[in-house]
Amino acid sequence: MAGAKAALVLCMDVGFSMSNSAPAEEPPFELAKKIVQKFVQRQVFSETKDELALVLFGTDSTKNQLDQDGSYQNITVHRRLMMPDFELLEEIEHQIHPESQQADWLDALVVCMDLLQTETKGKKYNQLNIVFLTDLSTQASPDHLDVIIENLKQADITLQFFLPFPLEDDKEGGGGGDRRGPSQPGMGKGLSTEQKEGLKMVKHIMLSLDEEDGLDEVYTFNNAIEQLCMFKRVERRPVSWPCQLTIGGSLSIRIVGYKAVFDEKLKKTWITVDAQSKQRDDVKRETVYCLDDDNETEVQRDNTIQGFRYGSDIVPFSKVDQEQMKYTHDGKCFAVLGFTKQNTVHRHHFMGNQVMKVFAPKDDEHAGVALSALIHALHELKMVAIVRYAYDRRSNPQIGAAFPCIKQHYECLMYIQLPFMEDLRQFTFPSLENNKKFTPSDTQLSAVDSLIDSMMLVEEDENGEQKDMFKAHHIPNPAFQRHFQCLHHRGVSPGTSLPPIEPWLKAALERPTTIDERCQAPLEEMKRKFPLTEVEKKKQLKTSAQIFGQGSEEPDAKKAKGDEEEGDYNLADIAEGSVTSVGSVDPARDFRTLIKQKSLPYGEVCQQLIDRTEQLLSNKNTHYYMKSITCIQAFREQSVKLGNADLYNSYLQSLKKSIPSRGLEVFWDLIVQDAITLISKDEVEGSSVSKDEAKQFMVTEDKKEEETAPVVEDTSDVDDLLDMM
C-alpha cells in the first residue's frame, strides 16, 4: 500500500541477570544491545517511514504510563514512537547499560501494548509489532496471560522473541532457532527453573497467536546478529511507466513498464558544513566570474556562454543553440522496428544501466491478450523484437531488444538497451588456432575441464536437486555496507578511527570454502600440466655508434637535423589530428605544423598567423599579450629556418608603427624584454636589415630623443662625494 508504514516497539531486558555469562562467552546483554543497534541502523539508513519506540525493563528507575499503585515497576519507556535517527543510535551506544533490578517480562509486554495503542490512535499503520529481547530469567506471573493474548489478537499486534538459547532440540526455531553454538546452552541443565517456565509461556503465547508458524518468530541472539549484520537496502516503491507498444501504424497495445534491474546509487546526502559549528547555514557559497586581467574584472553570469572545443578552435554555443540542437520527438515511445532471431543479439552487446519488464495493464483485458500473443509467438519462434525506446520527450531515443519472458505466475517482455555504432569497440587480435606453439594437448585440456568442474558454483541438495552456492542477488553491495558502517561509527563515536571492514562482508565476497577445498587438486594438476619457466631478457644489441663511435654514422649536422625533424612528430601531434588552419587555442603550434606539412603556401600560412596575432592583441590583457609574443617568436623562428625574412620584418615594422595609436605600449615593453627584433643579414642572407639596424629597432622614439639630447655635466655631486671621502 503506497505510503503505508509500520509501528514497532523494541523491548529489551537490562536486568542484572542479562550480565551473567559463562567464562569466555559474551553476556546476553551485549548480544541484545548489538541486535537493537543493528536493527535501528537498518531503519535509519533504509530511509523508511516506519516509526520505532524503545522500552527497557529491569531498570533501576520506573517511567511508564501504567506506573500506579506499585504496579509495572522497573520498566522505562526510553523513547516514544517516532522515526529512528542518529540521536537514538547515540543513546543506545552511550546511555543503555546493565542495571541492578529485575522486572516481570509480562508486565513489560503489557507496557509495550499500551504504548502502541496510545501512540497509534488516530493514525494509519499497516503493521504493529513488538520485538522482545530477554533471557527469561525473571519469574513472570501467568495470571493474566490469556487476557494478554486476547488483547494482542484484537489489536492485531505481531510478536517476536529473541532469546540467548534455542527453543528445544526437536523443534526448528525461526531464523535458525535450532542452531546451537557454544554460547547457546541446550534445554537441559543449562536453563534455570524460571527460564524453563518462561519458555513454556513464550511457546503458549506464540502458538496461540499463530498455531502453525508461531514458533518461527522465536529467534536466537547469535542468529539474529548474523541476519542483521548487513544494512537494509533503501526501499524503492515501484514506479510504473505507461506507454503504447506500437507495431507499424495500425497496431497499438497498452503497456506498463517497471525497472527490474537498476544500477543503484547512493543517495547524495553530502553537504558542506562549518567545521566548528557543524551547521550548514553557517557556510554560504558564492560563484563569481572574472576576466583573466590585472583587475580581475567581474563578469555577470548572464554575459557568459559555453564553448565547445572543435579541433583547435573554441566554438561558442549559447543556450538558444543548445535548445535548438536537442533532438525533438513525440514523447515516450516503445515502437517495434522489426524482429530477429535471439542468437543474433549477443550477450556482450547488452548495455545501459537497467532492465525493464513490460506488462499489460491489469484493467485492460484486450491489451493482456494481445501482449500475451506477442510474447508466446516470440518464445515459440525464439525471436526478439527490436524496439525504439524513449522515456519521455526530454530524453534521447534508444535502440533495444525486447525478449519474451514466461514464468509460472506471470509473463512479460524484458527490454535491454543495445549499442549504436559509436558504442562498439573493434579490436583485432592474432588467432591462436593456427599457432602450433599455443595449441594445448589433450591432457592440458582435460586438466582445465577438471578445474572448471571443481569450481562450479552449484551443488546437489538432499533431494538430488541442484542449488546455487553463490547467490549474487543475495550479496549486498560492499561499498554501500562499508559506507553505512563508517557513517554509523562516525555518528556515534566522533574523533575515533574508523573500524576495519567487518569479517562477514569479506567472507561474502570470497570463494565458498567447499569450492576452495574441491579445487585444490585440480589446481595442482594445472601447475604440472602448464609449467612456468623464467625467461631471461636477451642482451640488447649495441649499435655501431656504441661500438665504433660517431665516425660510422652521418655527420653531426645531418644527424642533428634528422633528430630534430623526427622529434617534432610525437604522439601528442598525432592525437591532435590534422591541422588545416591557424586556430585560436594554440596558434604557434598550428603555425609550425602547417609549415611542416607544406599543405598551404608559405605566404598564406604567415598571413593566417598575422591575422590571429592581431585578433589576440585586440584583447588588452597580459594573457593575450603573452600568447601574441609566442606567435611572433614562432614566426621569427620559422622565417630564419626557411631563409625568408621579408614577411616577418615587414609585419614587425608595421606593428611597431601602430603601437602608440593602439595603446600597446605595455605589449611592446614585453617584446623589448624578450629581445624580439628584426631578422638581420647575419641570420638570413636575403634580409635587407643590417645587424646595427636590428639592434636600433628595439629602441623607441622617446628613448632616441633622450639619447640625442645634449648632456650637461653636473660635477657638484662628484665634488660632494670627494669631500665626504
Side-chain angles (χ1 to χ4, degrees):
M1 182 171 62
K5 57 183 179 180
L8 182 140
V9 178
L10 293 174
C11 189
M12 179 179 170
D13 188 351
V14 296
F16 72 88
S17 65
M18 289 285 284
S19 303
N20 300 329
S21 63
E25 290 184 1
E26 198 168 5
F29 172 83
E30 296 299 332
L31 295 174
K33 185 175 178 178
K34 283 183 180 179
I35 293 173
V36 172
Q37 282 180 319
K38 290 183 179 297
F39 185 85
V40 175
Q41 287 172 17
R42 285 163 61 93
Q43 296 299 105
V44 170
F45 290 115
S46 63
E47 303 174 12
T48 64
K49 301 297 182 182
D50 296 345
E51 296 182 0
L52 184 144
L54 179 60
V55 175
L56 307 177
F57 65 99
T59 56
D60 297 337
S61 60
T62 301
K63 183 183 176 183
N64 64 78
Q65 290 184 342
L66 302 181
D67 173 22
Q68 295 176 359
D69 302 328
S71 302
Y72 303 99
Q73 295 298 296
N74 306 113
I75 302 172
T76 300
V77 178
H78 182 87
R79 172 97 166 209
R80 307 197 75 81
L81 202 62
M82 63 180 66
M83 289 180 61
D85 50 23
F86 262 104
E87 184 179 349
L88 178 58
L89 287 173
E90 291 178 359
E91 292 173 0
I92 296 170
E93 178 73 21
H94 302 297
Q95 297 181 18
I96 297 182
H97 306 286
E99 304 201 26
S100 58
Q101 299 296 322
Q102 291 284 74
D104 189 327
W105 61 269
L106 280 177
D107 286 349
L109 177 58
V110 174
V111 170
C112 293
M113 293 167 58
D114 176 72
L115 178 64
L116 268 182
Q117 291 179 334
T118 304
E119 296 285 329
T120 60
K121 190 174 182 179
K123 301 179 182 178
K124 290 185 178 181
Y125 295 88
N126 66 333
Q127 185 179 2
L128 305 178
N129 190 24
I130 298 175
V131 175
F132 230 82
L133 302 101
T134 180
D135 63 351
L136 300 176
S137 292
T138 57
Q139 187 172 2
S141 173
D143 297 341
H144 304 290
L145 186 59
D146 293 335
V147 177
I148 293 173
I149 294 173
E150 188 62 29
N151 286 333
L152 285 170
K153 291 180 179 179
Q154 290 181 1
D156 196 20
I157 298 175
T158 58
L159 194 60
Q160 291 175 309
F161 276 91
F162 291 83
L163 309 174
F165 43 79
L167 280 175
E168 55 188 8
D169 292 344
D170 58 343
K171 294 286 184 182
E172 293 186 359
D178 60 331
R179 301 180 188 176
R180 289 181 295 152
S183 61
Q184 295 176 346
M187 281 290 298
K189 58 184 180 180
L191 298 183
S192 64
T193 304
E194 291 81 4
Q195 287 177 321
K196 292 178 182 178
E197 292 297 326
L199 204 55
K200 290 180 182 178
M201 285 191 281
V202 167
K203 288 193 280 188
H204 176 64
I205 293 172
M206 301 307 292
L207 290 174
S208 299
L209 295 176
D210 188 344
E211 189 174 349
E212 294 183 359
D213 302 322
L215 298 183
D216 290 343
E217 297 300 324
V218 181
Y219 300 82
T220 60
F221 282 174
N222 285 343
N223 189 253
I225 291 175
E226 291 178 8
Q227 294 187 4
L228 291 171
C229 61
M230 72 175 65
F231 291 92
K232 188 179 179 182
R233 72 191 191 115
V234 178
E235 295 183 357
R236 304 292 186 192
R237 188 167 56 90
V239 179
S240 62
W241 180 74
C243 191
Q244 295 283 339
L245 184 153
T246 58
I247 304 177
S250 57
L251 181 56
S252 178
I253 305 173
R254 283 183 62 204
I255 58 171
V256 179
Y258 294 93
K259 293 177 181 178
V261 179
F262 188 72
D263 184 15
E264 184 71 23
K265 302 291 184 183
L266 276 173
K267 185 177 180 181
K268 187 178 181 181
T269 54
W270 297 107
I271 57 175
T272 302
V273 298
D274 182 73
Q276 302 300 326
S277 65
K278 307 294 189 298
Q279 295 298 318
R280 179 180 184 180
D281 296 336
D282 293 345
V283 178
K284 294 187 181 298
R285 179 181 298 175
E286 293 183 0
T287 303
V288 179
Y289 296 88
C290 299
L291 292 177
D292 188 12
D293 56 11
D294 294 337
N295 299 325
E296 293 188 351
T297 308
E298 184 175 343
V299 178
Q300 296 299 322
R301 184 172 182 177
D302 295 339
N303 295 331
T304 64
I305 61 172
Q306 289 186 321
F308 187 85
R309 182 166 181 171
Y310 186 78
S312 57
D313 292 315
I314 294 179
V315 180
F317 225 71
S318 65
K319 291 184 178 179
V320 177
D321 296 332
Q322 294 180 42
E323 289 297 325
Q324 293 178 353
M325 181 182 68
K326 288 181 179 178
Y327 180 81
T328 57
H329 51 87
D330 297 333
K332 58 176 61 177
C333 170
F334 200 81
V336 176
L337 303 179
F339 301 94
T340 185
K341 291 289 186 182
Q342 289 185 10
N343 56 15
T344 61
V345 182
H346 303 294
R347 177 64 184 82
H348 61 272
H349 285 164
F350 293 174
M351 61 178 295
N353 62 352
Q354 68 174 7
V355 176
M356 186 174 67
K357 289 185 176 181
V358 177
F359 300 89
K362 292 182 179 180
D363 58 348
D364 194 333
E365 182 180 352
H366 298 291
V369 173
L371 187 63
S372 176
L374 176 62
I375 293 170
H376 282 271
L378 292 174
H379 177 73
E380 293 173 4
L381 298 174
K382 296 182 179 180
M383 300 188 76
V384 297
I386 304 299
V387 301
R388 177 178 179 270
Y389 165 77
Y391 181 76
D392 59 17
R393 186 182 299 275
R394 298 165 297 176
S395 59
N396 290 325
Q398 299 175 0
I399 294 294
F403 290 81
C405 176
I406 300 177
K407 297 292 184 180
Q408 183 177 359
H409 301 292
Y410 68 90
E411 54 189 32
C412 65
L413 291 174
M414 304 277 283
Y415 169 80
I416 303 175
Q417 184 183 350
L418 295 178
F420 289 109
M421 177 186 70
E422 292 84 359
D423 301 321
L424 296 173
R425 300 290 182 269
Q426 301 293 341
F427 301 104
T428 303
F429 299 101
S431 173
L432 298 177
E433 295 181 355
N434 300 327
N435 194 332
K436 294 182 179 180
K437 182 180 179 181
F438 300 118
T439 303
S441 63
D442 293 339
T443 55
Q444 289 177 326
L445 290 174
S446 177
V448 175
D449 289 342
S450 300
L451 178 64
I452 294 174
D453 291 339
S454 67
M455 296 185 69
M456 291 295 290
L457 294 171
V458 177
E459 64 178 356
E460 290 187 356
D461 58 12
E462 299 175 353
N463 301 325
E465 297 181 356
Q466 291 187 338
K467 64 176 184 179
D468 292 333
M469 300 171 57
F470 201 76
K471 297 180 179 180
H473 57 284
H474 287 167
I475 299 175
N477 188 328
F480 289 7
Q481 300 297 314
R482 177 62 176 168
H483 176 85
F484 293 139
Q485 179 196 5
C486 294
L487 279 182
H488 168 255
H489 181 85
R490 180 57 67 241
V492 299
S493 304
T496 59
S497 357
L498 293 176
I501 298 177
E502 294 188 1
W504 72 267
L505 185 56
K506 284 186 176 180
L509 300 175
E510 296 292 336
R511 187 167 51 222
T513 53
T514 54
I515 297 289
D516 217 3
E517 297 170 358
R518 209 162 56 195
C519 70
Q520 291 303 317
L523 282 173
E524 293 298 327
E525 183 67 16
M526 286 283 291
K527 289 181 181 179
R528 290 192 294 269
K529 297 300 181 183
F530 295 90
L532 297 177
T533 56
E534 185 177 354
V535 179
E536 296 182 359
K537 289 185 177 181
K538 295 182 180 180
K539 293 183 179 180
Q540 295 182 353
L541 297 176
K542 292 184 177 181
T543 62
S544 60
Q546 294 170 323
I547 299 174
F548 302 107
Q550 296 288 344
S552 62
E553 290 194 0
E554 301 171 339
D556 290 343
K558 187 175 181 181
K559 178 186 175 184
K561 184 176 180 181
D563 291 344
E564 182 182 347
E565 291 179 356
E566 183 179 356
D568 288 340
Y569 289 96
N570 53 32
L571 187 60
D573 293 337
I574 297 172
E576 289 293 335
S578 59
V579 178
T580 58
S581 63
V582 177
S584 60
V585 177
D586 194 347
R589 187 203 60 192
D590 295 344
F591 175 73
R592 291 190 181 97
T593 303
L594 290 171
I595 294 296
K596 190 184 302 178
Q597 291 176 352
K598 299 180 182 179
S599 57
L600 295 174
Y602 175 72
E604 183 179 343
V605 178
C606 292
Q607 188 59 47
Q608 288 187 17
L609 181 67
I610 292 171
D611 294 341
R612 190 63 69 185
T613 305
E614 291 296 313
Q615 179 187 0
L616 293 172
L617 289 175
S618 63
N619 300 290
K620 295 181 181 180
N621 179 283
T622 305
H623 172 73
Y624 292 104
Y625 287 167
M626 300 307 297
K627 209 169 188 179
S628 301
I629 289 174
T630 306
C631 294
I632 295 174
Q633 288 173 334
F635 196 179
R636 192 180 198 283
E637 168 198 319
Q638 295 299 321
S639 297
V640 172
K641 185 182 291 187
L642 297 175
N644 189 338
D646 295 340
L647 293 174
Y648 170 79
N649 287 343
S650 175
Y651 172 65
L652 203 61
Q653 288 170 345
S654 64
L655 178 62
K656 181 182 178 182
K657 292 178 182 178
S658 66
I659 292 297
S661 61
R662 298 169 64 181
L664 295 175
E665 287 81 3
V666 176
F667 168 71
W668 189 256
D669 289 341
L670 296 174
I671 290 284
V672 174
Q673 289 175 14
D674 289 348
I676 303 175
T677 185
L678 299 173
I679 300 174
S680 64
K681 294 178 180 179
D682 294 352
E683 296 174 282
V684 175
E685 292 183 1
S687 175
S688 59
V689 179
S690 65
K691 187 175 182 180
D692 293 337
E693 289 174 340
K695 288 182 179 179
Q696 192 68 19
F697 179 77
M698 303 303 299
V699 182
T700 59
E701 297 297 330
D702 295 338
K703 291 184 178 180
K704 283 183 180 181
E705 292 178 2
E706 292 176 4
E707 291 174 1
T708 57
V711 179
V712 179
E713 293 186 3
D714 184 2
T715 59
S716 59
D717 291 342
V718 178
D719 294 338
D720 293 341
L721 182 61
L722 290 173
D723 293 339
M724 291 173 64
M725 294 175 64

